[in-house]
Amino acid sequence: MKDFRVYIRENSGWLAVILFIALVMTATMMLNGIPAYEIGYGMLLCVFVTVAAAVTGYGRHCESICQLRVMRQNIAEVQNEMKAPEYLYETYYQDSINVLVQEKDRVQNELMTRQQDMAAYYSMWVHQIKTPIAALKLLIDEEANAYLETDEMEENDTCVTNSRQMQSELFRIEQYVDMALQYTRLGSETNDFVFEHIRLDEVIKSSIHKYAKQFIQKQLRLAYAPQDIMAVTDKKWLGFVIDQLLSNAVKYTKQGGVTIRVCGAGHPCGAADCEEAEKRGWAEACEDAAYGESVRIVIEDTGIGIRAEDLPRVCEKGYTGYNGHADKYSTGIGLYLCRSILDKLGHPFRITSEQGIGTKVEIVMESNKALHLFNLPSRKDK
């Protein structure tokens, strides 16, 4: 009904012209003495033709409106969906649309080229910047060793502390460089995901070794019991996620420590770990049965925790929350990258936290028993 009212309003000018002509013709015929019934017959015939033309025009109007609505939903194929023009103004409209589509394609291709160039530049920059970072590491280590070999240790204690602090800051720079590289790779149209079954112990130990100095400097306890559990995932990208989670755990934990557990079918968590988790309020710590053949990596810390109002948004891009405002080093990118990577890997990801108690992060993956779903060979068979 709304379309009909719009159609009548758009054609009200023509209807007024037809009505005026009918009145003029009626008056002319009456002045010439033509019988009223003949005039009425002619007027009825004119009304019938006008109504038929209006109905036909309204049908074509509705068809055009429906076609435009469909085209609007899929604007990328607008050129192929347009019907042949019937009027000159339609030809001009279609020519304008074609020009706009071509301009859109040109701008889109230009932006895509710029994005690819920028991604290539950042990748090159990241690889180049790693060379001076490695050189600085060697220089700082040599300087610290030189201080330790001197006989005047008391005078050089400050220098050794400063060198260790420089190592810590250099490690932080290297973290941000790796984060920039992974952020660039993740945003590209192609990625280098390679799914295979891996030993989770290898990935976790690699991340622990990377952050060992951070744990020692902050005097934090690290609890991890290695288990021979395998899962289907990408080793490099999962390692980056664990690195980021350990980085956050060390950054926001001032005392206590971090606990890493790997749980799965046939490999339940240790009793001591479960008791400790229950004391800290993690009621679901030992509920492995609900996950079937899945494998879980659980990383818990005794840090400052996350506020309840910040928890739903901690994985948003650039969101830092209350902790981010308190910590000048927070970027709001780490957990966003973790969420994005795990979504692409197909691993469910959950964060639970209580302010002042700690934070628990849980990653769920397919176990070694589910390899047939991916048609992947077992490493033992290689």
Side-chain angles (χ1 to χ4, degrees):
M1 183 60 67
K2 181 179 178 181
D3 291 341
F4 180 74
R5 290 197 300 267
V6 172
Y7 174 74
I8 294 297
R9 186 169 62 251
E10 291 176 350
N11 293 274
S12 58
W14 288 109
L15 294 176
V17 171
I18 294 173
L19 180 60
F20 177 75
I21 293 174
L23 293 175
V24 171
M25 293 300 298
T26 301
T28 303
M29 287 186 291
M30 291 181 65
L31 292 175
N32 291 329
I34 298 176
Y37 71 91
E38 293 183 2
I39 297 175
Y41 176 77
M43 289 299 102
L44 288 176
L45 185 60
C46 291
V47 169
F48 175 77
V49 173
T50 301
V51 171
V55 170
T56 303
Y58 177 67
R60 293 167 60 186
H61 172 79
C62 292
E63 181 182 357
S64 300
I65 293 298
C66 292
Q67 189 177 28
L68 287 174
R69 287 173 178 169
V70 173
M71 289 165 55
R72 183 179 180 182
Q73 296 176 356
N74 192 9
I75 195 66
E77 300 179 0
V78 64
Q79 291 174 297
N80 299 328
E81 297 292 336
M82 290 189 297
K83 66 177 184 179
E86 298 181 6
Y87 305 101
L88 183 60
Y89 74 90
E90 290 185 349
T91 302
Y92 286 126
Y93 275 130
Q94 291 190 10
D95 289 341
S96 300
I97 292 175
N98 291 331
V99 171
L100 290 175
V101 171
Q102 293 174 3
E103 181 66 14
K104 178 188 71 71
D105 293 339
R106 185 191 67 80
V107 173
Q108 187 175 5
N109 292 332
E110 184 177 350
L111 290 176
M112 187 176 299
T113 302
R114 289 183 180 179
Q115 184 178 8
Q116 292 174 352
D117 293 342
M118 188 67 68
Y121 169 76
Y122 276 118
S123 298
M124 179 187 65
W125 178 84
V126 167
H127 289 295
Q128 288 180 341
I129 203 66
K130 285 185 176 182
T131 301
I133 289 177
L136 282 174
K137 277 185 176 180
L138 292 176
L139 292 174
I140 293 173
D141 289 339
E142 290 179 1
E143 186 177 3
N145 292 332
Y147 288 142
L148 291 174
E149 291 176 358
T150 61
D151 295 333
E152 301 176 356
M153 280 295 298
E154 294 181 359
E155 297 180 2
N156 295 325
D157 282 346
T158 303
C159 296
V160 174
T161 303
N162 290 339
S163 66
R164 290 175 177 172
Q165 185 64 30
M166 285 189 290
Q167 287 178 335
S168 178
E169 296 300 326
L170 196 60
F171 178 76
R172 192 187 300 274
I173 293 174
E174 192 173 15
Q175 273 187 297
Y176 289 145
V177 169
D178 289 337
M179 188 182 298
L181 178 61
Q182 302 303 335
Y183 181 82
T184 304
R185 287 178 176 174
L186 192 65
S188 61
E189 293 186 355
T190 58
N191 53 62
D192 57 348
F193 290 146
V194 178
F195 286 91
E196 57 182 350
H197 72 289
I198 64 171
R199 284 186 171 83
L200 297 178
D201 186 51
E202 298 176 0
V203 181
I204 296 174
K205 281 185 176 181
S206 176
S207 297
I208 291 175
H209 177 74
K210 186 181 298 184
Y211 287 87
K213 290 184 179 179
Q214 307 297 316
F215 279 96
I216 294 173
Q217 289 179 2
K218 297 191 69 173
Q219 298 181 350
L220 298 176
R221 175 185 56 83
L222 174 63
Y224 172 61
Q227 298 191 46
D228 189 16
I229 299 180
M230 307 188 74
V232 179
T233 185
D234 182 278
K235 184 175 182 179
K236 182 184 71 175
W237 287 96
L238 179 64
F240 175 78
V241 170
I242 295 178
D243 287 349
Q244 292 299 312
L245 297 178
L246 282 181
S247 174
N248 285 348
V250 173
K251 182 189 300 184
Y252 296 111
T253 302
K254 297 180 180 179
Q255 59 182 0
V258 178
T259 301
I260 304 176
R261 303 197 314 275
V262 180
C263 310
H267 298 81
C269 302
D273 290 336
C274 290
E275 291 177 0
E276 180 182 356
E278 284 186 12
K279 291 179 181 178
R280 295 179 52 208
W282 307 122
E284 72 283 5
C286 302
E287 295 179 358
D288 293 326
Y291 291 90
E293 295 186 353
S294 64
V295 173
R296 293 184 297 147
I297 298 178
V298 182
I299 301 177
E300 301 178 32
D301 62 63
T302 58
I304 60 178
I306 304 173
R307 296 196 307 180
E309 54 267 32
D310 291 335
L311 195 57
R313 301 186 59 191
V314 290
C315 292
E316 292 182 8
K317 183 178 179 181
Y319 184 78
T320 57
Y322 176 79
N323 293 342
H325 293 295
D327 180 17
K328 61 182 179 180
Y329 295 113
S330 181
T331 61
I333 298 296
L335 288 178
Y336 163 75
L337 287 176
C338 292
R339 168 72 72 181
S340 301
I341 292 171
L342 292 175
D343 285 345
K344 290 193 174 185
L345 292 176
H347 301 332
F349 177 59
R350 183 175 64 172
I351 300 178
T352 53
S353 180
E354 290 187 40
Q355 192 172 7
I357 295 179
T359 302
K360 173 183 175 182
V361 181
E362 187 176 8
I363 303 171
V364 182
M365 296 172 293
E366 295 294 336
S367 68
N368 192 31
K369 295 181 180 180
L371 286 175
H372 62 280
L373 298 176
F374 295 85
N375 296 320
L376 295 176
S378 173
R379 181 174 293 182
K380 297 179 181 179
D381 298 335
K382 293 184 179 179

